[in-house]
Amino acid sequence: MRAVNPWLLFLPAFIVVGFNSFLPIVYAAYLSTQRFYLTGIEAKFIGYDNFTALMFDETVWRSLLTGAAFVVTCLVIEIPLGLVMALMMFKESKLNRVIRTLISYPILMPPITVGAVWLLLTRPDIGPIPNFLNQFGIVYDIGSNPFHAFFTVVAMDVWYWTPFVILVFVAARASISPEQYESAMVDGASSWHIFRYITFPGLRYALVVVLLIRMIDSLKIFDQVWILTSEGPYKATNFMSIYIVKTAIGQLNVGYGAALSLFFLFIIIILTFVMLKLVFGRRSSS
Amino acid sequence: MFDMSEKKVDRRTWIATVAAAIGGLAVGAAAGYFATPREVLEKMITTTVEKIETKTVTVTGSPPKPEEELIRWWKEASKPYSGTTIKVLAQAWEPNFYLRDVVGPKFTELTGIKIDWELTSNELVMEKEILDMERGTGIYSSTYDDQDMVGTWIRKGWTYDYTKLMDEHPELIEPAFNPDDIFPLPYCKDAKGHILSIPAEYFPKTYIYRTDLFESPKEKEDFRKKYGYELRPPRYYDEMLDIAEFFTRPPDLYGFIGADGAKAHEALGFDFFETWFPSCGATGEGLDPYPRDLLPGWGINTKTWSSRMENGGALDSPQAVRAIETFLKWLPYAPPGVRAMIYVESGEQQAAGKVAQAITYTQFLSTYANPELSKIAGKFRVTLPPVDREYWRPYMPIGYADISGYTIPWCSPHPEAAFLWAQFVISPLNELERAKAINTTVRTSVLTNPALDPLDAKFGGVFSLIRDPIARKYFVGTPLEIGDYAPLLYVFYTTLAKAVAGELTPKECANELARAIDEELVKLGYK
């Protein structure tokens, strides 16, 4: 029987990945070198002019800054909250199972539905949130107040994604062997020491995964924000994804939109690389 | 001194006298016309609108053929295309649901031509049809979109020329298809007069007010005491703001809302060039034809392709500044959260009876008139929108006519069948029933049909309003010179949003808008 080149076995995967990821990126790279409006104007090669333009585009930097603030705020809330709740409900019991099922409900919803639900919750005329806050004299308006818009999107993200964080931590906590806890207790370790030296190291890789996924996800956030606030007052929620879509689809400026997309992709790759290096690099050195 | 004796006047003297009389009358009329004080003309306009309920308009065009004859024609003409399926791309909303559910099946039954509907959002219609036409993929046989796009089709040449199609296939022209009867058609033709889109909807963007409030003796009395004049639909924005202030009684009633809310959204852009800029005079005079060198609402000069005053444009003019100021002035009288609203939410506020007056899309009137969906059913009326007292001049546009129609992409796989469908929608076989169901028609013969009279009051007098050809002239479509609607709209709304948010003063915003539009026009290759 003739030996088959083992690389051939990778071929289907190469084709799928290449078609799904590589080709669009190559096409985006091509578009980014064009002055190309989707309005029938002849596309014109302009080299790296689109990239030069984005370097001087105030909205790009403002959007990145807004995105960074959003990611940090979300992670600072979601990770500790998720961790605490996971530790409270990781034990197998009927009540915990019910609670875990109930709190998982948001992640089953499509993002577009989440946006629509929050739009109804926050509508100044019929929304329960503004009506509740009005009782305390707080005028809540995501249409005119940039802080309200920004923190409402943060709240929506926390509501939507904290259950995911909880589930990952619950699974990770369940995988730590009980013997370690028993030994620690026999040795008289305090609760803090048990958390510091057993629980936290056991959850470290789950933490990295959650951080990585949530960071990238939060940076890319689009659907919910598109529905809820769009770019928001004072562009308070004009994240890069929103700006890219408004440029490429709203303004039909496909060439510049492609350049923005590639630039954004580059930033996400760099951030992911740094995160992986920080965590796994440290692991291999230790 | 004078010879009073009877003397036969010769023929030459007769002719000279009559000619002098006619000439004198013409000169006098012209002088009178141009010298008529603004107030008199305004009065003429407003009284025209007030009187139109009793006005009768002569129906132009040939009378429709009898129904049976038309049905026979449709069966015969469509035979070569029977069994064809045409894919139609259109916006997902009530008028198109009606076409899908009522008119479409009737068309299929008569002609054997099936329709595969793709109903989606307005933005996606635009994006998908442009992609289809730009790439020539030939997915859609017909697309149904806003007249805003006709300028784009003219500039790009991406659609079938109906006039040529009719020349090539005279056998496909419905005997009742009479271009003179289709009143929004001038907005769907190119400079040569060729038809690029067959309109099927005409919805003016009007002023709407609550008759239960405006006609209440107590409210009238209180208003007179407070402001010193009668409570009535306002002619000017200062009056509108008085009324807005008077009726602002939170949390149940607010004074005013614009048709598109005030969210940083595309709607903010089109609200300005549809309503606020024209009604504040940021445009040239002249209605039909409008001044081709200064585009109504858009403030762009087509000779210089600039929006700056120094180049004949108007976006940094005092009129544009006034429009932005006026927009900001009504915001305090709007329901809370107006800065998070677009046209949908604005319509909801109106239907919920939350506002005393508004600018509205008349597409929503059938909802407002439905007591199951609205609290203002039977309690509203529409009329011409107010204007700026200082800057608006008679014979300037006031507002916008939202016209939609069928275009055939150049790569359409079934242009003939698509042409038949476009005609069928507005065929006399359907048009009257369609007008009754969704309160729109594009045919003068249907608009003036007494069968619509009982519905006129239900829909707030909208038919009366647009039956008047003078009043109708004040609502203009998107200028046909706008060949890049979407990119320019983006610049409009993102810049105007800064004024709404308070980042820029109206003056700064107007200057920034003119600068940004000029920059975009260069990018788009206009100069």
Side-chain angles (χ1 to χ4, degrees), chain B residues 13-90:
Chain B
T13 313
W14 261 112
I15 293 170
T17 310
V18 172
I22 292 171
L25 277 173
V27 170
Y33 175 87
F34 288 109
T36 304
R38 197 174 111 208
E39 291 72 18
V40 177
L41 284 171
E42 281 160 14
K43 199 175 171 192
M44 181 189 91
I45 293 156
T46 45
T47 48
T48 305
V49 177
E50 280 159 12
K51 285 176 185 168
I52 48 186
E53 281 168 70
T54 53
K55 192 163 187 165
T56 52
V57 178
T58 312
V59 181
T60 58
S62 54
K65 304 271 179 191
E67 194 166 308
E68 300 76 29
E69 200 181 311
L70 274 183
I71 288 173
R72 254 200 315 279
W73 181 87
W74 275 101
K75 283 183 176 167
E76 200 56 39
S78 59
K79 262 184 190 162
Y81 312 101
S82 183
T84 309
T85 300
I86 55 171
K87 192 166 177 71
V88 177
L89 175 68

Side-chain angles (χ1 to χ4, degrees), chain A residues 21-137:
Chain A
S21 308
F22 192 63
L23 273 184
I25 292 172
V26 170
Y27 187 55
Y30 160 73
L31 289 176
S32 70
T33 61
Q34 309 285 313
R35 195 193 72 179
F36 181 29
Y37 277 83
L38 204 60
T39 57
I41 297 175
E42 285 297 312
K44 187 181 162 194
F45 178 76
I46 52 167
Y48 51 81
D49 279 8
N50 278 329
F51 292 96
T52 314
L54 75 81
M55 287 297 156
F56 296 99
D57 185 344
E58 189 203 332
T59 312
V60 169
W61 301 107
R62 208 165 146 180
S63 300
L64 284 175
L65 209 63
T66 311
F70 176 71
V71 170
V72 171
T73 316
C74 286
L75 292 184
V76 162
I77 299 172
E78 285 169 22
I79 303 291
L81 185 66
L83 183 60
V84 170
M85 290 183 76
L87 294 178
M88 284 165 66
M89 60 178 76
F90 81 94
K91 279 184 185 159
E92 277 304 312
S93 71
K94 219 175 229 175
L95 181 66
N96 277 344
R97 273 201 297 274
V98 171
I99 295 173
R100 286 203 299 256
T101 308
L102 286 177
I103 61 160
S104 304
Y105 182 67
I107 41 177
L108 301 176
M109 293 168 78
I112 209 91
T113 313
V114 172
V117 167
W118 275 78
L119 189 64
L120 291 173
L121 285 173
T122 54
R123 264 183 64 151
D125 51 347
I126 53 166
I129 296 176
N131 284 333
F132 174 74
L133 293 174
N134 268 345
Q135 318 256 329
F136 304 100

Side-chain angles (χ1 to χ4, degrees), chain A residues 37 39 123 125 234 246, chain B residues 156 348-349 484 493 501 520:
Chain A
Y37 277 83
T39 57
R123 264 183 64 151
D125 51 347
Y234 287 86
K246 290 207 170 217
Chain B
K156 318 302 174 200
E348 285 170 4
Q349 296 295 321
D484 289 283
Y493 96 81
E520 193 68 11

